Amino acid sequence: MQIAKVRGTVVSTQKDPSLRGVKLLLLQFVDEEGQLLQSYEVAADSVGAGVDEWVLVSRGSAARQVQGSEQRPLDAAVIAIIDTVYVEDRMIYSKKDQYR
Amino acid sequence: MQIAKVRGTVVSTQKDPSLRGVKLLLLQFVDEEGQLLQSYEVAADSVGAGVDEWVLVSRGSAARQVQGSEQRPLDAAVIAIIDTVYVEDRMIYSKKDQYR
Amino acid sequence: MQIAKVRGTVVSTQKDPSLRGVKLLLLQFVDEEGQLLQSYEVAADSVGAGVDEWVLVSRGSAARQVQGSEQRPLDAAVIAIIDTVYVEDRMIYSKKDQYR
Amino acid sequence: MQIAKVRGTVVSTQKDPSLRGVKLLLLQFVDEEGQLLQSYEVAADSVGAGVDEWVLVSRGSAARQVQGSEQRPLDAAVIAIIDTVYVEDRMIYSKKDQYR
Amino acid sequence: MQIAKVRGTVVSTQKDPSLRGVKLLLLQFVDEEGQLLQSYEVAADSVGAGVDEWVLVSRGSAARQVQGSEQRPLDAAVIAIIDTVYVEDRMIYSKKDQYR
């Protein structure tokens, strides 16, 4: 999985019928030190992530293992909101105090 | 999923029999600020997207979750025509007024 | 899917038994303006493509949706020989007259 | 599969319910000579790997072949702790004596 | 599929139980002219490939189509030992006489 930051939303009305009710988030990937990278992903959200939060995104058929998405043509899903990221014993991210 | 702009079409008569009747669009990816990128994809269209429209493209086995495509050798599908893209509260794309 | 040009063949006798009788083509990818790219793929051919022809290649599990390949350890397949590629109303490739 | 070094952990409480109890490791890829690369992966751990150990990581649907993960939205899993890596008859890594 | 050269082996004792008895090869990719590339893969071997041989490697779920590997968390497998590679009518590789 990859770590990404929620940056915004994508809205569509003319779409595959199975996507009705699915919230689509615009994510930007971060590197292991938390720097924003020049690549993004649009992913279905099933954990209620908000703008600026760090999330874990799964891609490929894994995105359809989220309950209710088994038949949806999705290839990326937000599967967790990240609390902390440690590199060895150094905390490089903490949701609570945005400590980096 | 990725955001792409419809740039044209690909036509083939000598093909896998299951592809008969499938419309193939030539898409060019855009970055999160809407700049065209140097990479493209050919994807099956199931939502009636037209040239210059921004679409959402799913790749891998997700492309076969579109109704009727379950047994087709497709690895990319247009699953939505995009209305708006927001980065935080800044609208970076709107289909209606091509506001960017 | 990606657009590629057939450049040659790959032959193997010591292989997974299910690959017997499968023709393997060496493909080189082209960009959306038809320039050859520095990346290639070896793909199973099921549509009878010849050297120099432009083809459409599917990768991942899609490659096993071609009839007879369901249980073959293939991750790339030629699924169509391309007749024409249009970018907006400009024809950038035509099989008939090799017009580019 | 790819070779990676365990660098740390990722913790999340608000996540897909099926991820409860799954340990998530932050991995950094190494090249074939053992140099750390600028790319990382977050993977589910099922073999008890520790920080600084070299591991083998599987990505895509393979990550769900680990017992108990069949329905989890995971796209990367640590499937082995590496003992040795040989290039021809030169040992470039050995877990026992960290010989490189 | 991709063409790669067998460069060595990876050994692990602490691993997913289903990997017992699976031989893991360290492969380095080659470009279409046979030059070694800076990227490698670790793949399960089912055709008995040896160091320096050119092989065909399948990645993703295709790697589990090899008999006996259906439930193994593998995402790469050697599926053939290459005899010859032709670009148009020029032989760029031949196993017999290592003619390039």
Side-chain angles (χ1 to χ4, degrees):
Chain A
M1 287 74 71
Q2 293 290 301
I3 299 175
K5 188 173 181 180
V6 179
R7 298 298 314 282
T9 54
V10 172
V11 174
S12 163
T13 42
Q14 210 174 327
K15 57 193 172 186
D16 187 277
S18 69
L19 297 181
R20 238 162 259 135
V22 173
K23 187 174 180 190
L24 298 171
L25 297 179
L26 183 69
L27 311 175
Q28 193 161 352
F29 292 112
V30 293
D31 69 17
E32 69 283 5
E33 292 300 331
Q35 300 303 314
L36 281 175
L37 294 170
Q38 280 306 320
S39 65
Y40 73 91
E41 189 79 47
V42 177
D45 176 32
S46 63
V47 291
V51 170
D52 283 340
E53 287 192 307
W54 283 29
V55 294
L56 211 50
V57 54
S58 250
R59 290 177 293 179
S61 56
R64 298 198 302 282
Q65 304 306 314
V66 172
Q67 202 164 17
S69 287
E70 294 78 2
Q71 255 79 52
R72 288 186 175 136
L74 296 170
D75 68 6
V78 172
I79 61 167
I81 296 172
I82 293 175
D83 295 328
T84 55
V85 178
Y86 277 87
V87 172
E88 285 142 20
D89 50 17
R90 189 165 56 92
M91 180 154 69
I92 65 160
Y93 171 78
S94 160
K95 179 182 170 185
K96 256 178 310 178
D97 50 25
Q98 289 295 309
Y99 175 79
R100 277 186 357 92
Chain B
M1 288 70 73
Q2 294 289 301
I3 298 175
K5 188 173 180 180
V6 179
R7 297 298 314 282
T9 55
V10 173
V11 173
S12 163
T13 42
Q14 210 173 327
K15 56 195 172 186
D16 187 277
S18 68
L19 296 181
R20 239 162 258 133
V22 173
K23 187 174 180 191
L24 299 171
L25 297 179
L26 183 69
L27 310 176
Q28 193 160 352
F29 292 111
V30 292
D31 70 17
E32 69 284 5
E33 292 299 331
Q35 299 304 314
L36 281 174
L37 295 171
Q38 279 306 320
S39 64
Y40 73 91
E41 189 79 47
V42 177
D45 176 33
S46 63
V47 291
V51 170
D52 284 339
E53 287 193 306
W54 283 29
V55 295
L56 212 49
V57 53
S58 250
R59 290 177 292 181
S61 56
R64 298 198 301 283
Q65 304 307 313
V66 172
Q67 202 163 18
S69 286
E70 294 78 2
Q71 255 79 53
R72 289 186 175 136
L74 296 170
D75 69 6
V78 172
I79 61 167
I81 296 171
I82 294 176
D83 296 328
T84 55
V85 179
Y86 277 87
V87 172
E88 283 139 21
D89 50 19
R90 190 165 53 92
M91 180 153 70
I92 67 159
Y93 171 78
S94 160
K95 178 182 170 183
K96 258 179 306 176
D97 50 27
Q98 290 294 309
Y99 176 79
R100 275 184 0 94
Chain C
M1 290 70 74
Q2 293 290 301
I3 298 174
K5 189 174 181 179
V6 180
R7 295 300 313 283
T9 55
V10 173
V11 173
S12 163
T13 42
Q14 210 173 328
K15 57 195 171 185
D16 187 276
S18 68
L19 296 180
R20 238 163 260 133
V22 173
K23 187 174 181 191
L24 298 171
L25 297 179
L26 183 69
L27 309 176
Q28 193 160 354
F29 292 111
V30 291
D31 69 18
E32 70 284 3
E33 291 299 331
Q35 299 304 315
L36 281 174
L37 294 170
Q38 278 307 321
S39 64
Y40 72 91
E41 188 80 49
V42 177
D45 175 33
S46 62
V47 291
V51 170
D52 284 340
E53 286 192 307
W54 283 28
V55 294
L56 211 49
V57 54
S58 250
R59 289 177 293 181
S61 56
R64 299 197 302 282
Q65 304 307 314
V66 172
Q67 203 164 17
S69 287
E70 294 79 2
Q71 256 80 51
R72 288 185 174 135
L74 297 169
D75 68 6
V78 172
I79 62 167
I81 297 172
I82 293 175
D83 296 329
T84 55
V85 179
Y86 277 86
V87 172
E88 283 139 19
D89 49 19
R90 189 166 53 94
M91 181 154 68
I92 67 160
Y93 172 78
S94 160
K95 178 182 171 185
K96 258 180 309 179
D97 51 27
Q98 290 292 306
Y99 176 79
R100 277 185 359 94
Chain D
M1 287 72 73
Q2 293 290 302
I3 299 175
K5 189 173 181 180
V6 179
R7 297 298 314 281
T9 55
V10 173
V11 173
S12 162
T13 41
Q14 211 174 326
K15 58 193 171 187
D16 187 277
S18 69
L19 296 181
R20 239 161 260 133
V22 173
K23 188 174 180 191
L24 298 171
L25 297 179
L26 182 68
L27 310 175
Q28 193 161 352
F29 292 111
V30 292
D31 68 17
E32 69 284 4
E33 292 300 330
Q35 300 302 316
L36 281 174
L37 294 170
Q38 280 306 320
S39 64
Y40 73 91
E41 189 80 49
V42 177
D45 176 32
S46 63
V47 291
V51 169
D52 282 341
E53 287 193 306
W54 283 29
V55 294
L56 212 50
V57 55
S58 249
R59 288 177 293 178
S61 56
R64 299 199 300 282
Q65 305 305 313
V66 173
Q67 203 164 16
S69 288
E70 294 78 2
Q71 256 78 52
R72 289 187 175 134
L74 297 170
D75 68 5
V78 172
I79 61 167
I81 297 172
I82 293 175
D83 295 330
T84 56
V85 178
Y86 277 87
V87 172
E88 286 141 17
D89 50 14
R90 187 165 55 93
M91 180 153 70
I92 66 160
Y93 171 79
S94 160
K95 178 184 169 183
K96 258 180 308 181
D97 50 24
Q98 290 296 309
Y99 176 79
R100 279 187 354 92
Chain E
M1 289 72 73
Q2 292 289 304
I3 298 174
K5 189 173 180 177
V6 180
R7 296 300 313 283
T9 55
V10 173
V11 173
S12 164
T13 41
Q14 210 173 328
K15 58 195 171 186
D16 187 277
S18 68
L19 296 181
R20 239 161 260 134
V22 172
K23 187 174 181 191
L24 297 172
L25 296 179
L26 184 68
L27 310 175
Q28 192 161 353
F29 291 112
V30 291
D31 68 18
E32 68 284 4
E33 291 300 330
Q35 300 302 317
L36 281 175
L37 294 171
Q38 279 305 322
S39 63
Y40 73 91
E41 188 79 49
V42 177
D45 176 32
S46 62
V47 291
V51 170
D52 283 340
E53 286 193 306
W54 283 28
V55 293
L56 211 49
V57 55
S58 249
R59 289 178 292 180
S61 55
R64 300 198 300 282
Q65 305 306 314
V66 172
Q67 203 163 16
S69 287
E70 293 79 2
Q71 255 80 50
R72 290 188 174 133
L74 297 169
D75 68 6
V78 172
I79 61 167
I81 297 172
I82 293 175
D83 295 329
T84 55
V85 179
Y86 277 86
V87 171
E88 285 141 17
D89 49 17
R90 187 166 55 93
M91 181 154 69
I92 66 159
Y93 171 78
S94 159
K95 179 184 169 184
K96 259 180 310 179
D97 50 25
Q98 291 295 309
Y99 176 78
R100 277 186 358 91

